[in-house]
Protein backbone atom coordinates (compact mmCIF):
# COMPACT_ATOMS: atom_id res chain seq x y z
CA UNK A 1 0.00 0.00 0.00
CA UNK A 2 1.08 3.58 -0.65
CA UNK A 3 1.42 5.42 2.67
CA UNK A 4 2.08 9.15 2.96
CA UNK A 5 3.75 10.57 6.07
CA UNK A 6 5.03 13.89 7.37
CA UNK A 7 6.03 15.55 10.63
CA UNK A 8 7.13 18.73 12.32
CA UNK A 9 10.18 18.69 14.61
CA UNK A 10 8.25 17.47 17.67
CA UNK A 11 6.94 14.34 15.93
CA UNK A 12 10.05 13.52 13.92
CA UNK A 13 11.38 10.65 16.05
CA UNK A 14 7.99 8.91 16.00
CA UNK A 15 7.63 9.46 12.27
CA UNK A 16 11.03 7.88 11.65
CA UNK A 17 10.12 4.81 13.74
CA UNK A 18 6.82 4.40 11.91
CA UNK A 19 8.53 4.92 8.56
CA UNK A 20 11.03 2.13 9.29
CA UNK A 21 8.18 -0.19 10.29
CA UNK A 22 6.12 0.66 7.20
CA UNK A 23 9.05 -0.04 4.89
CA UNK A 24 9.80 -3.31 6.70
CA UNK A 25 6.13 -4.27 6.29
CA UNK A 26 6.44 -3.74 2.53
CA UNK A 27 4.58 -0.47 2.10
CA UNK A 28 5.55 2.22 -0.39
CA UNK A 29 6.30 5.25 1.81
CA UNK A 30 6.08 8.84 0.58
CA UNK A 31 7.75 11.09 3.16
CA UNK A 32 7.03 14.81 2.89
CA UNK A 33 9.40 15.61 5.73
CA UNK A 34 12.82 14.08 5.26
CA UNK A 35 13.72 17.10 7.38
CA UNK A 36 11.10 18.41 9.82
CA UNK A 37 8.41 20.65 8.40
CA UNK A 38 8.47 24.20 9.71
CA UNK A 39 5.12 23.64 11.40
CA UNK A 40 2.50 20.92 11.84
CA UNK A 41 0.23 22.86 9.47
CA UNK A 42 2.72 22.35 6.64
CA UNK A 43 3.26 18.66 7.30
CA UNK A 44 -0.40 17.77 7.84
CA UNK A 45 -1.69 19.66 4.81
CA UNK A 46 0.98 18.07 2.61
CA UNK A 47 -0.27 14.61 3.60
CA UNK A 48 -3.95 15.55 3.23
CA UNK A 49 -3.52 17.11 -0.21
CA UNK A 50 -1.57 14.10 -1.45
CA UNK A 51 -4.25 11.72 -0.19
CA UNK A 52 -6.95 13.60 -2.07
CA UNK A 53 -4.94 13.11 -5.28
CA UNK A 54 -4.21 9.42 -4.59
CA UNK A 55 -7.45 7.71 -3.56
CA UNK A 56 -5.83 4.35 -2.78
CA UNK A 57 -3.33 5.82 -0.32
CA UNK A 58 -3.50 6.28 3.46
CA UNK A 59 -1.55 8.71 5.59
CA UNK A 60 -0.09 9.72 8.92
CA UNK A 61 0.94 13.10 10.29
CA UNK A 62 2.94 13.58 13.46
CA UNK A 63 3.43 16.45 15.87
CA UNK A 64 3.88 16.56 19.64
CA UNK A 65 0.28 15.56 20.45
CA UNK A 66 -1.27 14.93 17.03
CA UNK A 67 -3.97 17.51 17.70
CA UNK A 68 -2.41 20.34 15.70
CA UNK A 69 -2.00 18.09 12.68
CA UNK A 70 -5.60 16.96 13.08
CA UNK A 71 -6.91 20.53 13.17
CA UNK A 72 -4.91 21.45 10.06
CA UNK A 73 -5.83 18.37 8.01
CA UNK A 74 -9.52 18.42 8.84
CA UNK A 75 -9.73 21.88 7.24
CA UNK A 76 -8.92 20.35 3.85
CA UNK A 77 -12.23 19.82 2.04
CA UNK A 78 -12.95 16.14 1.51
CA UNK A 79 -10.53 14.80 4.15
CA UNK A 80 -11.69 12.46 6.89
CA UNK A 81 -9.02 12.52 9.60
CA UNK A 82 -8.76 11.09 13.11
CA UNK A 83 -6.49 11.92 16.03
CA UNK A 84 -5.88 8.49 17.57
CA UNK A 85 -4.30 7.19 20.77
CA UNK A 86 -5.17 3.47 20.65
CA UNK A 87 -5.15 0.72 18.06
CA UNK A 88 -8.84 -0.25 18.28
CA UNK A 89 -9.92 3.32 17.52
CA UNK A 90 -7.53 3.34 14.56
CA UNK A 91 -9.25 0.28 13.11
CA UNK A 92 -12.74 1.63 13.82
CA UNK A 93 -12.13 5.08 12.35
CA UNK A 94 -11.10 3.47 9.08
CA UNK A 95 -13.84 0.84 9.05
CA UNK A 96 -16.74 3.05 10.15
CA UNK A 97 -15.79 6.56 9.09
CA UNK A 98 -13.64 5.95 6.05
CA UNK A 99 -10.79 7.92 7.59
CA UNK A 100 -7.87 8.33 5.22
CA UNK A 101 -5.43 9.85 7.68
CA UNK A 102 -4.41 9.43 11.31
CA UNK A 103 -2.59 12.01 13.39
CA UNK A 104 -0.67 11.23 16.55
CA UNK A 105 2.31 12.30 18.60
CA UNK A 106 4.85 11.19 21.19
CA UNK A 107 3.33 13.51 23.80
CA UNK A 108 0.33 11.16 23.92
CA UNK A 109 1.42 7.69 22.75
CA UNK A 110 4.66 5.77 22.86
CA UNK A 111 6.36 4.39 19.79
CA UNK A 112 5.17 0.81 20.29
CA UNK A 113 1.54 1.90 20.59
CA UNK A 114 2.01 4.16 17.55
CA UNK A 115 3.20 1.15 15.54
CA UNK A 116 0.10 -0.81 16.58
CA UNK A 117 -2.09 2.15 15.64
CA UNK A 118 -0.47 2.38 12.20
CA UNK A 119 -0.79 -1.34 11.51
CA UNK A 120 -4.43 -1.51 12.63
CA UNK A 121 -5.37 1.55 10.59
CA UNK A 122 -3.76 0.12 7.45
CA UNK A 123 -5.27 -3.32 8.06
CA UNK A 124 -8.84 -2.02 8.23
CA UNK A 125 -11.11 -1.62 5.23
CA UNK A 126 -13.88 0.92 4.97
CA UNK A 127 -17.18 -0.94 5.45
CA UNK A 128 -19.38 1.61 3.67
CA UNK A 129 -23.07 0.78 3.94
CA UNK A 130 -24.80 2.50 6.84
CA UNK A 131 -21.53 4.25 7.70
CA UNK A 132 -21.58 6.11 4.39
CA UNK A 133 -24.32 8.37 5.77
CA UNK A 134 -21.80 9.86 8.24
CA UNK A 135 -19.12 10.27 5.59
CA UNK A 136 -21.62 12.01 3.29
CA UNK A 137 -22.60 14.34 6.15
CA UNK A 138 -18.96 15.17 6.83
CA UNK A 139 -18.32 15.90 3.17
CA UNK A 140 -21.33 18.24 2.99
CA UNK A 141 -20.00 20.17 5.99
CA UNK A 142 -16.61 20.78 4.39
Amino acid sequence: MRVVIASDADGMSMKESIKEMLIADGHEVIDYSETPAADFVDSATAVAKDLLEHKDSQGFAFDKYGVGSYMAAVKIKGMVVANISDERSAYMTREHNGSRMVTMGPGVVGTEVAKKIAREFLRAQYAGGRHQIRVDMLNKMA
Side-chain angles (χ1 to χ4, degrees):
M1 174 181 293
R2 184 178 184 274
V3 182
V4 184
I5 60 174
S7 178
D8 68 2
D10 290 330
M12 203 63 177
S13 63
M14 179 173 280
K15 183 210 64 142
E16 288 299 321
S17 294
I18 299 300
K19 180 179 179 178
E20 288 176 19
M21 180 205 73
L22 293 170
I23 292 169
D25 287 353
H27 296 286
E28 173 190 359
V29 178
I30 309 302
D31 185 350
Y32 278 99
S33 57
E34 292 290 337
T35 59
D39 189 86
F40 59 76
V41 173
D42 296 333
S43 54
T45 56
V47 173
K49 288 177 180 179
D50 182 286
L51 294 176
L52 290 176
E53 292 178 19
H54 300 92
K55 298 295 183 192
D56 292 331
S57 299
Q58 302 298 338
F60 299 97
F62 305 90
D63 63 59
K64 184 156 186 144
Y65 303 108
V67 176
S69 294
Y70 170 80
M71 291 188 306
V74 79
K75 297 289 186 187
I76 307 294
K77 185 176 174 71
M79 277 307 302
V80 181
V81 185
N83 180 238
I84 299 294
S85 60
D86 69 278
E87 57 268 31
R88 183 67 185 148
S89 294
Y91 188 90
M92 297 298 285
T93 196
R94 178 77 188 120
E95 182 182 55
H96 289 211
N97 300 324
S99 182
R100 305 271 319 284
M101 180 176 172
V102 162
T103 66
M104 56 184 150
V108 177
V109 298
T111 301
E112 293 309 310
V113 171
K115 289 178 181 179
K116 291 176 184 177
I117 289 169
R119 283 187 170 129
E120 284 298 302
F121 179 71
L122 296 175
R123 184 174 73 85
Q125 296 295 315
Y126 177 51
R130 66 183 174 88
H131 306 296
Q132 187 61 41
I133 294 167
R134 285 188 294 243
V135 173
D136 291 342
M137 286 176 20
L138 291 169
N139 285 333
K140 284 180 186 176
M141 293 172 62

